[in-house]
Structure formats: C-alpha cells, structure tokens
Amino acid sequence: MPVKFPIPPLSVVPPRLSQRSPRTTLIFTRMASNAAVAFGLKDNSLIKTQGFIGGKWLDASDGATISVTNPANGEEIGTIPEMGLKETKEAINTASTAFKMWKNTTAKERHDLIMKLYTLMKENTEDLAKIITLENGKTLTEATGEVVYSSSFLEWFAEEAVRTYGEHIPSPAPGVRNVTIMQPVGVCAILTPWNFPSAMITRKLGAALAAGCTAVVKPPPETPFSALALTELARRAGFPDGVINVVTTFKNVGEVGKELCENGVVRKVTFTGSTTVAKLLYKMSSSTMKKVSFEAGGNSPFIIFDDANIDDAVDGAILCKFRSSGQTCVCANRIYVHSSVYAEFASRLAARVAQFKVGSGMDKESTHGPLIHDRAVQKVEGHITDALSKGAQVLVGGKRINGPGSFFEPTVLADVPPNVRLANEETFGPVAALIKFDTEEEVLQLANNTDYGLAGYFYSRDVGRVWRVAEALEVGMVGTNTGYISQAPIPFGGVKESGLGREGAHGIKEYMQTKLIAFGL
C-alpha cells in the first residue's frame, strides 16, 4: 500500500523515540530556539515544538518526544511531543467547549478571520516554504507552490462561509412551509499526510472553520512543523482559544486515532492517506455513526492515444508523474502508451528525465528532492526489481543515489508488462512505467482493473474519444490533455477504495448537516 501514511499501521513502533524529563521554561525556550535556528527563517517564532490545546503550547504530560529529521541528510531538525490519550481527550473536550461559542459566530465573522489567516500565510510564504522543504524534502520551488496552493483553500472557504445557503421546499400539505438550514456538524478530527504538510491542513481545516466547526488536528510525525506554524499564524489571526487544537504523536497513534474516531463528542473524522488506514478509521468511526470523509490510496492511469500531441503528453507526464518526486496521491502510477507512438514518447520522456538534477531541496539547482524516508526508497526498489524480473528495461535512472539522505534517481521503465506489482500497488516514487496498448477497449480495461479510483489522465485530440474515455474511466477526477487537476475550486476525491466524500468545491458541506424546519401557518 502507499508509503504516504499520515499515521502508521498500529503495529509499527517508531524508530526515533526518545524520553525527556520535565524541563524548566528556560531549558525548553533554549531548545525551541535551537530548533528554530536550524530552519533559518526570517521569523523564527514560527517554529513550534509543542502541541497546541486551548490556546496554549504544551509538551506531552510524560515529557516524551519524537525526533523529526530532514530527509535530505537524515539530520534532526527538531522534536515534537509524543502525546497520548490524556492530551487527546483534553483537546476534544476543549474543542467541544469552544464549539458552543464558535458555532454562533456569523458567517461574516468567520470569513474575516479566515481571510486574516490567508493574509498571514501570504506574508510568510518564504518561511513556510522553507519549513516544508526541510521537513518534507521537496524543492523550495515546489514548497513555495504548495504554500500558494495551501493558502488558496483558505481564500476559497472564507468565501464559501457566507454562502452556506438553505432552501425552501414547497409542501404538498396546505398551511405548511418547509425550510432547510445548514448547521456545523461539531468537533472535527483532522488527520493529515506528510506529502503535502501544509495544503492538506488548510483543505480540511479551512472548510471546518468556515462551516463553524472546531477541530483537533493530528499532523504526521514526519512533517509536523508546517501544521504547527499554521496554528501559530491562526493564533495571531485571532482565532479563539480551543477552536484549533493540535495533538502530535507517533508511538501512541493507535490510542490517539481510536479516541478521535470513537469519542462521541467528535462528530466528523477526515483523513488523507492509505486505504489500509482509512478502512481502519472508517470501522472505528462507525461505532458512533459520525460523518467521515476519506481521501485514500490511488493508482492513477495515464494514457497516451495514437492521436495525442506527444510534446504536450510528455509535459503532462513529467508534471503528473514527477512532481514531489512522485509522492502525490494523484500522480501517474501506470503510463499506457499506444504502440504506434510508444517509441517516440518513450524516447522524449527519457531524454527529459535524464536532465533532472536530484539534490537537497534547498539547493536552487535541484529539480527534485529526496523521498520521505528509507522505507519509501525500499518500496521503489522493490517495484523496479519486480518489473525488471518480468522483462522491463531501464531507459534512465533505476538506482538509489549513494550518500546521506533518501535519494532515488528519477526513472523511466520501458517494455513493462501489465502484470507487474506497480500496476497494482501505488509506487509513491519517481518511477514512470511505460506499458504498451493497441486499442481503446484494451486500455480502458487495463486502466479500470484496480480497486482504486482517485484520478485518471489521457491525451487525445479526438473529441468523441475525449468524452467516451472521460466517462468510462472509473475515477473521481479526470485530466484530459492535462496533467494538472489539483485546484481549490474542484471537488477533489475518488471512487471505489480511493475514498469517500469530496474536498474543495462542495467540501464545506462535508462539515455541515441539513436541518428541516416545517412551519405550520
């Protein structure tokens, strides 16, 4: 399954857990300062190394911490608290108390606060991007793009806050008027992944806040500092205490996740990550019949038909496959190329990929950064080894890059048979696997032969085929003649085992419930 777990399987024990005894304010301040210096920000106060509950920055009650490392060199960049059940319950109760006030704020008041946060994000774009690069590894250019993308969700949902309309429904009975209103669902649990440590926060939290909900956020232990920096900006924007709470954990993720899903005070759980974890959260959430929205695993097909513009298709494949070194849920996982244009497409794609420069995301010359950790590298190696054993050929790349950090060469594989592991599993790495096909019917069968259905892409200049294939692909989102689909205003989500619900457009409704009021005249 995907290596993008925002929370690991419950059986996984974290490799980098240390214990610390309670410390004085002076000692902690010095530690926090040292962590901030490691990021080299203009505003070092954006680096927070504590959780956030009820408007206060807090350590774990037992003083335990988790080490956070830079995937480009393996060096520690800071620590976060290893919180557990006690802190989670406190955060939920705090959010519940705050909800009693927050739900009664006007839509305009919520709009104004969210827009203040949006403005603060724009003003601190450079620092927020550096945080993403140092904890996630993606290049500073990509990280800056993520901050822009992330802030766009705040702008979108601020505007949605004032448009949560109800409706009048004509009654068949005389003397009755039916009216519906939209109300916030309540306390929301938000669990996010490491591959977009900022954007996946705002896409969920922005909708929750706009709807009038309060939140308990559990960021990933690999990339927590982006979430904590956004929380600090929200505090500066003026969000009331308890509206936003952040619980950080790794070792205790089992008990934390269970509490967030089974606690009856929490009325909504939203998660982005693997299908395996989504199913586990779904099962636990069913115990209290709470609302859920899950964006789970993907296995996106990318199809180049014989009438495609090859230059455009190559550009789209590079954008779609190699963005964030292939660590996106909507990236091309299987690239199907018509036999008549196969050689041309493969040659052009390999030539472009050979020009990539892999290195630290802080290096301005780097086009691609490291993978998140060594487990991700091992999965990529396993997929390539399997493909080669079944007849595939390496056109470019194919190997781990020696030295510190979790680097892997951007790779193009040719002559890949359709029965390889990467055709059934999400690689989540920089591997473009080219699979040959001959007919539209054949490639649609191959493309849909998966339990997943998040995104799909294809290139064709035949308008009839565009409509046929777009409608036939069993996915929640389709890119036709483009490798770019991720935007704040779209309904983002999948079908089959890729998840439930939609984020972005219509996403605010996932955090609200419809109430009927029947008026007797």
Side-chain angles (χ1 to χ4, degrees):
M1 302 307 301
V3 295
K4 60 173 183 176
F5 296 153
I7 59 176
L10 302 187
S11 60
V12 173
V13 178
R16 301 189 304 269
L17 184 68
S18 61
Q19 298 287 329
R20 71 179 185 212
S21 59
R23 58 194 62 200
T24 65
T25 301
L26 177 62
I27 294 174
F28 182 80
T29 300
R30 185 181 302 114
M31 174 193 158
S33 176
N34 290 339
V37 169
F39 283 84
L41 307 184
K42 292 180 179 179
D43 181 0
N44 286 329
S45 65
L46 286 175
I47 299 301
K48 301 298 181 183
T49 57
Q50 296 173 290
F52 190 74
I53 300 175
K56 297 179 181 179
W57 296 103
L58 301 171
D59 288 335
S61 58
D62 62 0
T65 63
I66 305 162
S67 175
V68 182
T69 60
N70 181 346
N73 54 29
E75 296 177 0
E76 180 180 290
I77 55 176
T79 64
I80 54 171
E82 178 61 87
M83 292 178 158
L85 186 60
K86 177 179 180 296
E87 293 86 358
T88 304
K89 288 183 175 180
E90 181 182 352
I92 292 171
N93 292 334
T94 299
S96 179
T97 299
F99 177 66
K100 296 173 184 178
M101 171 278 301
W102 183 246
K103 69 179 180 180
N104 292 321
T105 56
T106 68
K108 180 62 167 58
E109 289 172 328
R110 297 195 296 274
H111 165 278
D112 291 349
L113 276 176
I114 296 171
M115 284 305 296
K116 285 183 181 179
L117 178 54
Y118 166 79
T119 299
L120 287 171
M121 281 195 70
K122 300 293 284 186
E123 292 174 352
N124 290 275
T125 294
E126 184 178 339
D127 280 351
L128 296 175
K130 284 184 178 179
I131 294 172
I132 292 172
T133 293
L134 289 170
E135 66 180 357
N136 169 277
K138 66 179 63 175
T139 66
L140 198 55
T141 298
E142 284 191 316
T144 301
E146 180 180 343
V147 175
V148 173
Y149 179 48
S150 178
S151 63
S152 73
F153 286 111
L154 295 178
E155 182 180 37
W156 173 263
F157 284 116
E159 295 166 346
E160 288 286 278
V162 296
R163 296 179 177 84
T164 51
Y165 306 130
E167 60 181 340
H168 168 254
I169 304 172
S171 172
V176 176
R177 298 291 183 269
N178 297 319
V179 174
T180 65
I181 62 173
M182 302 296 292
Q183 293 184 309
V185 68
V187 177
C188 298
I190 296 175
L191 301 96
T192 60
W194 52 257
N195 59 336
F196 285 91
S198 179
M200 297 304 96
I201 294 283
T202 57
R203 189 159 75 182
K204 299 174 186 294
L205 183 60
L209 296 174
C213 299
T214 56
V216 178
V217 180
K218 193 214 79 65
E222 297 92 343
T223 59
F225 294 116
S226 290
L228 295 171
L230 290 176
T231 303
E232 168 61 15
L233 291 181
R235 186 194 65 78
R236 296 179 190 180
F239 282 89
D241 294 347
V243 171
I244 302 171
N245 305 276
V246 181
V247 174
T248 58
T249 189
F250 188 11
K251 177 182 179 181
N252 298 326
V253 68
E255 63 183 31
V256 169
K258 187 173 187 292
E259 184 66 21
L260 290 173
C261 290
E262 296 185 352
N263 190 308
V265 174
V266 177
R267 298 310 310 154
K268 158 82 181 193
V269 173
T270 177
F271 164 79
T272 295
S274 76
T275 296
T276 298
V277 177
K279 288 179 178 179
L280 179 61
L281 298 176
Y282 195 12
K283 181 178 181 179
M284 291 190 293
S285 297
S286 68
S287 65
T288 50
M289 293 292 287
K290 52 174 55 75
K291 292 190 74 170
V292 297
S293 58
F294 298 136
E295 190 260 283
N299 188 8
S300 302
F302 190 103
I303 306 168
I304 299 95
F305 286 102
D306 54 346
D307 63 333
N309 181 309
I310 301 302
D311 288 334
D312 289 348
V314 170
D315 289 341
I318 288 174
L319 173 65
C320 182
K321 172 70 255 184
F322 292 101
R323 183 165 60 110
S324 297
S325 296
Q327 299 176 115
T328 78
C329 54
V330 293
C331 73
N333 201 57
R334 301 164 289 155
I335 301 180
Y336 298 106
V337 188
H338 192 274
S339 57
S340 65
V341 296
Y342 187 91
E344 181 183 5
F345 178 85
S347 175
R348 293 192 189 185
L349 180 65
R352 291 280 297 278
V353 172
Q355 297 173 8
F356 292 167
K357 178 177 173 54
V358 179
S360 168
M362 297 300 292
D363 185 344
K364 293 182 179 180
E365 295 184 359
S366 296
T367 60
H368 294 78
L371 300 188
I372 189 65
H373 44 49
D374 283 349
R375 296 192 306 279
V377 173
Q378 292 165 7
K379 184 170 187 180
V380 170
E381 289 177 324
H383 278 192
I384 291 176
T385 298
D386 173 72
L388 294 180
S389 71
K390 295 174 181 175
Q393 303 293 320
V394 175
L395 296 185
V396 62
K399 301 186 300 297
R400 177 174 186 152
I401 298 175
N402 294 327
S406 303
F407 292 98
F408 199 91
E409 294 176 343
T411 301
V412 178
L413 300 178
D415 302 324
V416 179
N419 63 335
V420 293
R421 278 181 56 194
L422 58 78
N424 299 302
E425 300 175 9
E426 190 175 23
T427 303
F428 233 60
V431 181
L434 309 186
I435 303 170
K436 191 178 298 184
F437 75 91
D438 289 307
T439 68
E440 182 178 315
E441 293 73 20
E442 174 194 4
V443 76
L444 283 172
Q445 182 178 5
L446 290 169
N448 291 333
N449 185 28
T450 174
D451 292 331
Y452 305 101
L454 188 57
Y457 310 83
F458 67 93
Y459 278 72
S460 172
R461 288 178 285 191
D462 181 329
V463 67
R465 173 179 284 158
V466 166
W467 279 107
R468 285 196 310 273
V469 174
E471 292 181 356
L473 286 173
E474 296 173 357
V475 297
M477 301 172 286
V478 179
T480 63
N481 295 312
T482 181
Y484 175 77
I485 59 173
S486 298
Q487 311 148 52
I490 68 166
F492 193 102
V495 299
K496 298 195 282 190
E497 293 193 12
S498 283
L500 302 167
R502 292 294 183 270
E503 297 181 306
H506 315 307
I508 195 170
K509 294 180 180 179
E510 300 282 348
Y511 298 82
M512 305 192 82
Q513 51 196 3
T514 302
K515 176 180 285 185
L516 167 70
I517 305 175
F519 291 91
L521 303 181

